[in-house]
Amino acid sequence: AEGRSGLPGLARSVVATLDALGVERAALLGHSLGGAVALTIAAHHPQRCERLILCGAALFPFPPSLLQRLPALPGLGRLLREHHGPSRRMLRRLFEQHLFRDPALVSAELLDYYWERLSRAGGAAALHACLRTLTHLDPRNPDFARVVAPTLLVWGDEDRAVPLSRGRRLLAALPRGRAR
């Protein structure tokens, strides 16, 4: 449901968690989709964000591979999610071809960790919601200009999922951004 997913819904969930913990102001750090969520919080709840650290933040749309798009397609995605979910083989391929520079780093333990989470009740649906969010990012996101917190960008120069060119683009869009 869009109320719980999508950047606004995910940001509301994090703010509600901060409220439940009694945290009024925090330094926010986000990686990949978490970076997009942290930026959304910083833009819409500036009083809650002391500073912002974005690591390989997924904030611009990019043409995902067919393997990444399949679960995000409305009809086929639902079928995969409800009846099959991603296969362990598909997960390994995604890691080896799109996320890890060195495929040897995709160990059995790493796959077990992610597979166990995907196999939980709601795991495949959560993956589907995340992929839909990532494939529907707004390239002219007005939130970039709203961020007033000092912002540090941390990026790998060989990031395969969110290339450094995206980090440079984000740096140019943030009023108080700096890079490392």
Side-chain angles (χ1 to χ4, degrees):
E2 188 60 36
R4 291 188 317 246
S5 62
L7 292 180
L10 292 168
R12 282 191 299 275
S13 294
V14 172
V15 170
T17 301
L18 292 173
D19 290 343
L21 294 171
V23 176
E24 292 185 29
R25 191 164 167 80
L28 300 175
L29 179 139
H31 171 255
S32 192
L33 178 58
V37 174
L39 184 132
T40 301
I41 295 167
H44 292 272
H45 304 276
Q47 73 284 4
R48 304 300 294 265
C49 183
E50 179 180 317
R51 69 182 63 109
L52 181 61
I53 305 162
L54 303 174
C55 301
L59 282 153
F60 296 106
F62 55 94
S65 70
L66 178 61
L67 185 62
Q68 292 167 307
R69 279 194 317 252
L70 286 178
L73 295 173
L76 182 58
R78 192 181 85 241
L79 179 69
L80 287 171
R81 182 176 76 249
E82 292 175 0
H83 300 289
H84 304 289
S87 70
R88 191 177 176 90
R89 185 178 193 191
M90 186 183 294
L91 185 64
R92 175 179 284 283
R93 247 180 92 200
L94 174 69
F95 284 0
E96 290 176 347
Q97 293 179 4
H98 302 285
L99 299 178
F100 285 78
R101 182 174 175 259
D102 180 359
L105 295 174
V106 182
S107 66
E109 293 81 13
L110 178 78
L111 285 171
D112 288 345
Y113 176 84
Y114 282 97
W115 185 252
E116 191 274 326
R117 279 146 185 80
L118 283 171
S119 300
R120 291 178 185 170
L127 173 64
H128 175 74
C130 287
L131 287 174
R132 279 198 58 77
T133 298
L134 287 169
T135 57
H136 290 88
L137 295 170
D138 181 357
R140 299 166 313 228
N141 187 337
D143 288 348
F144 302 145
R146 292 182 183 144
V147 174
V148 295
T151 303
L152 175 65
L153 302 184
V154 180
W155 233 271
D157 61 352
E158 295 184 34
D159 190 322
R160 295 180 87 182
V162 184
L164 181 58
S165 61
R166 302 299 170 112
R168 289 185 178 121
R169 184 173 168 192
L170 179 59
L171 181 61
L174 290 170
R176 298 186 68 191
R178 63 184 179 94
R180 279 262 185 226

